[in-house]
Amino acid sequence: MRYELYYWPSIQGRGEFVRLALEQAGADYADVARQPRGGSSGTPAMLHLLGDTTIECPPFAPPFLKAGKLFIGQTANILQFLGPRHGLAPRTEAGRLWLHQLQLTVTDFVVEIHDTHHPLGPSLYYEEQKAAAKLRSADFTRNRLPKFLGYFERVVVQNPRRCGYLAGGRLTYADLSMFQLVEGLRYAFPRAMTRKEKLCPGLVALHDRVANLPRIAAYLASTRRIQFNDEGIFRHYPELDL
Amino acid sequence: MRYELYYWPSIQGRGEFVRLALEQAGADYADVARQPRGGSSGTPAMLHLLGDTTIECPPFAPPFLKAGKLFIGQTANILQFLGPRHGLAPRTEAGRLWLHQLQLTVTDFVVEIHDTHHPLGPSLYYEEQKAAAKLRSADFTRNRLPKFLGYFERVVVQNPRRCGYLAGGRLTYADLSMFQLVEGLRYAFPRAMTRKEKLCPGLVALHDRVANLPRIAAYLASTRRIQFNDEGIFRHYPELDL
């Protein structure tokens, strides 16, 4: 089955957590909005689906995944669907609940990262909320960043399987997301991360291990990987860094 | 099995979405932090668990649920666990994915509601970020509130089962959460809701129907239901309303 991923074509954004899972799975997928515009591809096709009032399960926003007849929205939900199908989730219910719990905490972290540059909401440009962004970012780099990193570090270290991954004894979709978080935070807050990374050696090791997985390494080196830029979740505004 | 719910004892907060599901399920549960302080109850017991480095699956924050040997964190994840066990979720995988997708969109909505009074982050008091809160709230009441309400209204109306509920042909945990959203938004933004409710009659009908479920009605009239106040997600600051 060929999956169809629908996400904005010019940013990594939330879609990147899904892309990484599809890439590591070696799954056959189309990144629909990045394909040339046509009847069922390109951004207009995605927007058409978002506005389609005949869809039984309409997504609120991208990303969403078409898998056969299924239409699945919400990043963590898509990953929860893909994980067990591609060996990226534990086999037991307890293991899967734990993994999903971690992914939902990743989701919370992502919201707070995004809000560093958009504390007054999505309707104003960054330039219109720069002063508020500085205040929010100061709290983020001082308090929230170390709190989240410290939590995930604790999870890696306390994992009874002592395998260097977050949940269970092997790679899962949450590890791929953790790679993306470390990578994105380094891009957005290089000064803060230089300091805070010292407190989470387990996460840094996990990041490096994921980066060196053959399929992930090939993906990162390909044109399928969109570069970080100042339109996504992770934005490098030096004035917001430590 | 007696569930143990761990959540802050003085607010509805995110824990309320779980409380409503447990109440409608008629489940046997202890609201641990609301019980008198003792060895394994009261807020200190919850804080002890949060800091316990021997727990294999440590939650990042309340709420979390103890169900036998399972320790489940993240509101939507707890609901996903409880739903199928108590007849509050569809039977098919497709139905459950759809329901969970809706719950994760509720989660997104809750974050944005919370951020109306805390746009600069959780470390500052409301009084310290009032000016920013006014700007964020203006965007919320003008743009985000109608967008989210419009989305969920569309979901109710488009539900092919035409039963007035969000997903499938019967009540689910997402309907209970939708009740709580309407209730909380009316408390926090009475002027905005008076106007916006006219655009979502399906959601208002759903709210009323949930409020009249015998178990929910009994719960709402009991002392187990904490009243809205100015420490939770939904806060009534008239200066933030339309």
Side-chain angles (χ1 to χ4, degrees):
Chain A
M1 182 179 58
R2 185 174 174 79
Y3 296 114
E4 291 176 11
L5 171 66
Y6 292 83
Y7 195 66
W8 305 109
S10 59
I11 57 170
Q12 293 181 6
R14 287 174 172 78
E16 196 65 12
F17 300 100
V18 181
R19 291 189 184 113
L20 285 165
L22 290 167
E23 291 285 341
Q24 177 57 20
D28 183 20
Y29 77 100
D31 202 339
V32 178
R34 296 192 70 198
Q35 297 186 327
R37 292 172 180 222
S40 60
S41 59
T43 304
M46 179 174 83
L47 296 176
H48 175 76
L49 276 178
L50 275 174
D52 186 343
T53 54
T54 66
I55 294 177
E56 272 189 32
C57 303
F60 181 74
F64 51 97
L65 185 80
K66 199 161 177 296
K69 288 182 178 177
L70 285 175
F71 235 123
I72 309 164
Q74 286 285 356
T75 308
N77 201 36
I78 298 170
L79 292 173
Q80 176 171 247
F81 169 79
L82 290 173
R85 281 165 178 77
H86 296 284
L88 292 171
R91 289 193 182 83
T92 63
E93 187 199 18
R96 289 181 189 177
L97 282 165
W98 170 229
L99 178 62
H100 194 57
Q101 176 178 334
L102 290 172
Q103 191 64 42
L104 292 178
T105 306
V106 166
T107 304
D108 290 345
F109 197 7
V110 166
V111 172
E112 295 203 20
I113 294 165
H114 177 269
D115 283 0
T116 58
H117 50 76
H118 275 73
L120 301 185
S123 304
L124 295 173
Y125 287 108
Y126 167 66
E127 287 68 22
E128 298 173 288
Q129 49 184 302
K130 213 167 173 175
K134 280 186 189 176
L135 292 167
R136 174 104 195 201
S137 296
D139 180 37
F140 178 78
T141 49
R142 192 181 308 124
N143 300 309
R144 304 301 289 174
L145 177 64
K147 184 176 165 82
F148 276 102
L149 290 179
Y151 170 74
F152 287 114
E153 175 75 10
R154 178 182 160 199
V155 168
V156 168
V157 171
Q158 279 182 220
N159 183 344
R161 302 292 287 273
R162 300 280 182 273
C163 59
Y165 288 130
L166 287 163
R170 56 178 186 168
L171 180 83
T172 66
Y173 59 75
D175 297 310
L176 301 172
S177 294
M178 192 52 52
F179 157 81
Q180 175 68 5
L181 281 176
V182 171
E183 194 78 0
L185 287 166
R186 283 177 175 174
Y187 171 77
F189 300 97
R191 289 195 295 275
M193 280 300 278
T194 299
R195 289 199 206 171
K196 305 301 178 189
E197 275 189 34
K198 291 173 190 153
L199 308 172
C200 49
L203 294 185
V204 172
L206 188 158
H207 164 276
D208 296 348
R209 203 163 152 193
V210 169
N212 287 314
L213 292 169
R215 283 174 173 164
I216 296 298
Y219 169 62
L220 297 176
S222 77
T223 56
R224 297 193 302 288
R225 170 79 164 182
I226 299 163
Q227 297 305 302
F228 285 111
N229 58 49
D230 285 352
E231 294 177 9
I233 294 162
F234 301 100
R235 306 191 186 183
H236 179 51
Y237 296 129
E239 63 273 21
L240 302 186
D241 198 358
L242 263 190
Chain B
M1 182 179 58
R2 185 172 173 81
Y3 295 115
E4 291 176 10
L5 171 66
Y6 292 82
Y7 194 67
W8 305 110
S10 59
I11 58 170
Q12 293 182 7
R14 287 175 172 78
E16 196 64 13
F17 300 100
V18 182
R19 290 188 184 112
L20 286 165
L22 290 168
E23 291 285 341
Q24 175 59 20
D28 182 21
Y29 77 101
D31 202 338
V32 178
R34 296 192 71 198
Q35 297 186 326
R37 291 171 181 222
S40 59
S41 59
T43 305
M46 178 174 84
L47 296 176
H48 175 76
L49 276 178
L50 275 174
D52 187 343
T53 54
T54 66
I55 294 176
E56 272 188 32
C57 303
F60 181 74
F64 50 97
L65 186 80
K66 200 159 176 295
K69 288 183 179 176
L70 285 175
F71 234 125
I72 309 164
Q74 286 284 357
T75 309
N77 200 37
I78 298 170
L79 292 173
Q80 176 171 246
F81 169 79
L82 290 173
R85 282 166 177 76
H86 297 283
L88 293 171
R91 289 192 183 81
T92 64
E93 186 198 18
R96 289 181 187 176
L97 282 165
W98 171 229
L99 177 61
H100 193 56
Q101 175 179 334
L102 290 172
Q103 191 65 41
L104 292 179
T105 305
V106 166
T107 304
D108 290 345
F109 197 7
V110 166
V111 172
E112 295 203 21
I113 294 165
H114 176 270
D115 282 1
T116 58
H117 50 77
H118 274 73
L120 301 186
S123 304
L124 295 173
Y125 288 108
Y126 167 65
E127 286 69 22
E128 298 174 287
Q129 49 184 301
K130 213 166 172 174
K134 280 187 189 174
L135 291 167
R136 174 101 194 203
S137 297
D139 180 36
F140 177 79
T141 50
R142 192 180 309 123
N143 300 309
R144 305 300 289 174
L145 177 65
K147 183 176 167 81
F148 276 101
L149 291 178
Y151 171 74
F152 287 115
E153 175 73 11
R154 177 180 160 199
V155 169
V156 169
V157 171
Q158 280 183 219
N159 183 343
R161 303 290 288 272
R162 300 280 181 272
C163 58
Y165 289 130
L166 287 163
R170 56 179 187 167
L171 180 83
T172 66
Y173 58 75
D175 297 310
L176 301 173
S177 294
M178 192 52 52
F179 157 81
Q180 175 68 4
L181 281 176
V182 171
E183 194 78 359
L185 287 165
R186 283 178 176 174
Y187 171 78
F189 300 98
R191 290 196 294 274
M193 280 299 279
T194 299
R195 288 200 207 169
K196 305 301 177 188
E197 276 189 32
K198 291 174 191 153
L199 308 172
C200 50
L203 294 185
V204 172
L206 188 159
H207 164 277
D208 296 349
R209 201 164 155 193
V210 169
N212 288 314
L213 293 169
R215 285 174 171 164
I216 296 297
Y219 168 63
L220 296 176
S222 77
T223 56
R224 297 194 303 285
R225 171 78 166 183
I226 299 164
Q227 297 306 302
F228 286 111
N229 58 48
D230 285 352
E231 292 176 10
I233 294 163
F234 301 100
R235 306 191 187 185
H236 179 51
Y237 297 129
E239 63 273 22
L240 301 187
D241 198 359
L242 262 189

